[in-house]
Amino acid sequence: MVKICGIGAGYVGGPTMAVIALKCPSIEVAVVDISDSRISAWNSNKLPIYEPGLEEVVNQCRGKNLFFSTDVEKHVHEADIVFVSVNTPTKIRGLGAGKATDLTYWESAARIISDVSNSNKIIVEKSTVPVRTAEAVEKILTHNSKGIIKFQILSNPEFLSEGTAIQDLLNPDRVLIGGNQDREGLEAIQKLKAIYVHWVPQDRIITTNLWSAELSKLADNAFLAQRISSINAMSALCEATGAEVSQVSHALSKNTKLGPKFLNASVGFGGSCFQKDILNLVYICESNGLTEVANYWKQVITVNDYQKGRFVKRVVTSMFNTVTGKKIAILGFAFKKDTGDTRKTPAIDVCRGLLGDDACLSIYDPQVTKEQIHKDLSVSSNVVKQVSVVGDAYEATKEAHGICILTEWDEFKSIDYQRVYENMRKPAFVFDGRNILNVDKLREIGFILYSIGRPLE
Ligand code: NAD
Ligand code: UDX
């Protein structure tokens, strides 16, 4: 029986390893993490992350060929293939701070692998890493194992999106595997490919050299984020000219050279990946002396920050230039629907902006806890009275002067807005940061409605 060990039981490691276990009953999969609380949660009825369909997959395999453990050494030691899905955040200190990737967790995983291995292994980079990381990893592994044990490093970046992780893993557009182009490297690529062919059609499995695979992941996220910043930049122009961004998006989406996805104007993109990976790309470009290329990609982030700032400004200016002491309902705090993840969510910047103008916020998100929201907003004793986290949209909007929709949860589309309107202060404002509401219907009820990229009334 082939044994796989997945290091890192987070948003990527957990679902990815669970789907491999589901699709390959003959493979034993152990997912390990240094965090006791995360592993206990994976072994409980309340999984540490919310992801539609994940619970069913875990319930089918856990205890059979899928195990969650904190015994990193034991499972790495026993494995033939080790997937590394540890976090690779942006460095906050030192050389390249604010842009470069912090590879501390990756390096510590590599050192554990070299310490406990006494058989040849394939090491799979699942984490998103700077291009040429495999070279550094190889040095750590071979120098520490004194060359006796042979490691083959593969880059197999993960393209899942949160909220649709299981669907994306079960039916991926493509699986990318990069490896050394010598005989041993090509053999390792085939071994990893043999796992995916259990459920992924052969023609969707792309094999490349190591550096192309590593860079393709950064390129992928940069291209996606760039489309959002492009349409968001257009949304500002739409508001100034009378064009409607949804009509512009629709027209663009029919251009077969562009395609329909990632054209929704919004309050801005969030999530743990886009900003971090673009900053990493910027840093790599700068390190290679490519200043213009670095500046080009930096603009994607600049426009995203502009879009969040513009939203706050719109709220304050529409509400007669003052939100001091006014209750504003925040509907949605996660960075997108169907996840409880708040990493880099635009809601943090919008809420901080409104708190800076002394608004009182009543926040509701179906999956984000009060503790998480307080932590994200760094709610200290002087602003604690300004922030309340409540259990439903009706409570959040009661007696409010305005509503900000910051996440596109489906349930926000089916709220009884007539009832909401009756319980609000007048004039009642709605700022739809995700363009999910029916503009005509809400205006008919009496709301003053602002949505992204549409002219004001
Ligand atoms: P995460 O923070 O949710 O999970 C990482 C886990 O690794 C944590 O639980 C941490 O405790 C564990 N860990 C760190 N060092 C360890 C070590 N030495 N030994 C054992 N466990 C260790 O992160 P994530 O969102 O799953 O992302 C992981 C990687 O995948 C990142 O590089 C990210 O850029 C990439 N990625 C993320 C997504 C996404 O949507 N979240 C999608 C594609 C790729
Ligand atoms: C992203 C990539 O899509 C995925 O391929 C990669 O593996 C990880 O990073 P994720 O961050 O989970 O996935 O979510 P995604 O659906 O890409 O959304 C990112 C952000 O962009 C969210 O805040 C979302 O609301 C926003 N977005 C997305 C828009 O504002 N408009 C769009 O049209 C699409």
Side-chain angles (χ1 to χ4, degrees):
M1 194 182 211
V2 175
K3 284 194 177 182
I4 288 181
C5 174
I7 306 184
Y11 286 87
V12 167
T16 310
M17 294 299 116
V19 166
I20 292 180
L22 179 77
K23 291 295 177 181
C24 310
S26 62
I27 295 179
E28 188 180 297
V29 181
V31 191
V32 297
D33 203 291
I34 41 176
S35 160
D36 276 337
S37 59
R38 258 204 167 161
I39 291 298
S40 312
W42 279 109
N43 282 320
S44 75
N45 291 331
K46 176 97 182 83
L47 301 183
I49 60 175
Y50 172 71
E51 198 58 70
L54 175 64
E55 213 172 82
E56 289 81 347
V57 176
V58 171
N59 286 341
Q60 266 192 62
C61 310
R62 196 174 48 194
K64 291 184 190 138
N65 66 332
L66 176 67
F67 304 91
F68 295 93
S69 164
T70 49
D71 197 343
V72 182
E73 282 83 2
K74 172 179 180 280
H75 291 286
V76 170
H77 171 80
E78 290 175 357
D80 307 292
I81 305 180
V82 181
F83 285 78
V84 185
S85 315
V86 299
N87 37 331
T88 50
T90 305
K91 272 183 90 168
I92 48 174
R93 272 196 283 292
L95 195 65
K99 287 189 206 131
T101 299
D102 181 351
L103 287 171
T104 312
Y105 302 101
W106 231 109
E107 184 170 336
S108 83
R111 287 184 187 278
I112 295 171
I113 297 170
S114 71
D115 285 352
V116 304
S117 296
N118 61 5
S119 59
N120 297 347
K121 294 190 197 306
I122 295 175
I123 312 302
V124 183
E125 288 178 349
K126 263 262 158 244
S127 302
T128 306
V129 289
V131 54
R132 294 198 84 92
T133 296
E135 193 172 40
V137 172
E138 190 169 17
K139 278 199 185 112
I140 295 170
L141 292 173
T142 47
H143 283 263
N144 283 291
S145 67
K146 298 174 193 71
I148 305 159
I149 295 160
K150 292 240 172 339
F151 294 101
Q152 274 301 322
I153 305 170
L154 299 177
S155 165
N156 172 220
E158 185 46 63
F159 294 106
L160 67 78
S161 292
E162 289 177 33
T164 52
I166 296 300
Q167 217 177 296
D168 295 342
L169 287 165
L170 290 175
N171 189 22
D173 295 344
R174 76 286 200 215
V175 167
L176 182 57
I177 305 175
N180 278 326
Q181 297 297 294
D182 54 13
R183 190 181 54 81
E184 283 130 331
L186 294 171
E187 267 172 29
I189 291 176
Q190 289 310 317
K191 282 193 184 141
L192 182 56
K193 195 172 168 182
I195 294 177
Y196 285 106
V197 290
H198 280 91
W199 77 99
V200 181
Q202 296 252 15
D203 59 356
R204 292 200 211 159
I205 305 178
I206 306 170
T207 60
T208 65
N209 77 27
L210 267 170
W211 322 129
S212 302
E214 286 179 339
L215 187 57
S216 294
K217 176 64 199 182
L218 295 181
D220 205 71
N221 277 352
F223 272 62
L224 293 176
Q226 169 262 321
R227 275 170 76 103
I228 304 171
S229 277
S230 297
I231 198 69
N232 283 346
M234 286 297 160
S235 76
L237 189 57
C238 288
E239 288 159 31
T241 57
E244 290 235 4
V245 78
S246 54
Q247 295 177 353
V248 175
S249 291
H250 184 66
L252 291 171
S253 74
K254 296 294 174 194
N255 180 343
T256 50
K257 288 176 229 150
L258 291 171
K261 294 184 181 161
F262 279 72
L263 285 173
N264 290 326
S266 65
V267 59
F269 62 73
S272 63
C273 295
F274 282 171
Q275 177 158 324
K276 151 177 103 68
D277 295 345
I278 293 172
L279 289 171
N280 177 11
L281 194 62
V282 167
Y283 184 71
I284 297 169
C285 293
E286 285 173 352
S287 306
N288 281 284
L290 306 172
T291 312
E292 291 79 2
V293 186
N295 289 342
Y296 172 79
W297 287 111
K298 220 187 288 175
Q299 272 305 111
V300 173
I301 310 270
T302 306
V303 172
N304 198 45
D305 290 337
Y306 161 74
Q307 189 74 349
K308 293 181 275 189
R310 208 165 73 77
F311 188 85
V312 173
K313 199 166 154 199
R314 174 71 72 189
V315 175
V316 177
T317 53
S318 308
M319 296 174 82
F320 321 113
N321 273 322
T322 173
V323 288
T324 304
K326 288 180 181 167
K327 175 173 171 178
I328 298 181
I330 303 292
L331 298 188
F333 198 83
F335 83 98
K336 60 188 271 194
K337 74 170 179 177
D338 290 338
T339 178
D341 194 355
T342 62
R343 290 178 291 179
K344 291 276 174 270
T345 176
I348 296 178
D349 299 86
V350 170
C351 289
R352 284 196 184 146
L354 294 171
L355 289 171
D357 256 70
D358 296 324
C360 293
L361 305 182
S362 184
I363 306 174
Y364 166 63
D365 186 287
Q367 284 295 334
V368 184
T369 62
K370 181 177 170 175
E371 292 68 33
Q372 186 63 45
I373 292 174
H374 277 232
K375 195 169 145 211
D376 286 336
L377 296 178
S378 321
V379 173
S380 53
S381 51
N382 52 338
V383 289
V384 75
K385 283 203 207 89
Q386 279 172 258
V387 178
S388 63
V389 179
V390 299
D392 71 70
Y394 295 104
E395 197 184 340
T397 52
K398 195 162 190 261
E399 297 287 314
H401 288 260
I403 302 173
C404 296
I405 305 222
L406 300 185
T407 312
E408 71 281 20
W409 284 102
D410 289 337
E411 68 174 70
F412 299 155
K413 294 181 194 162
S414 51
I415 290 172
D416 178 352
Y417 281 99
Q418 182 67 47
R419 176 178 155 198
V420 166
Y421 180 77
E422 279 156 20
N423 288 325
M424 281 178 69
R425 308 289 290 269
K426 308 296 176 326
F429 292 88
V430 174
F431 303 92
D432 182 1
R434 295 291 182 169
N435 289 357
I436 56 169
L437 299 180
N438 182 327
V439 178
D440 295 336
K441 203 170 144 201
L442 264 84
R443 286 188 178 155
E444 208 173 287
I445 292 173
F447 285 105
I448 298 178
L449 182 91
Y450 164 79
S451 47
I452 307 278
R454 289 193 185 119
L456 292 170
E457 274 172 289

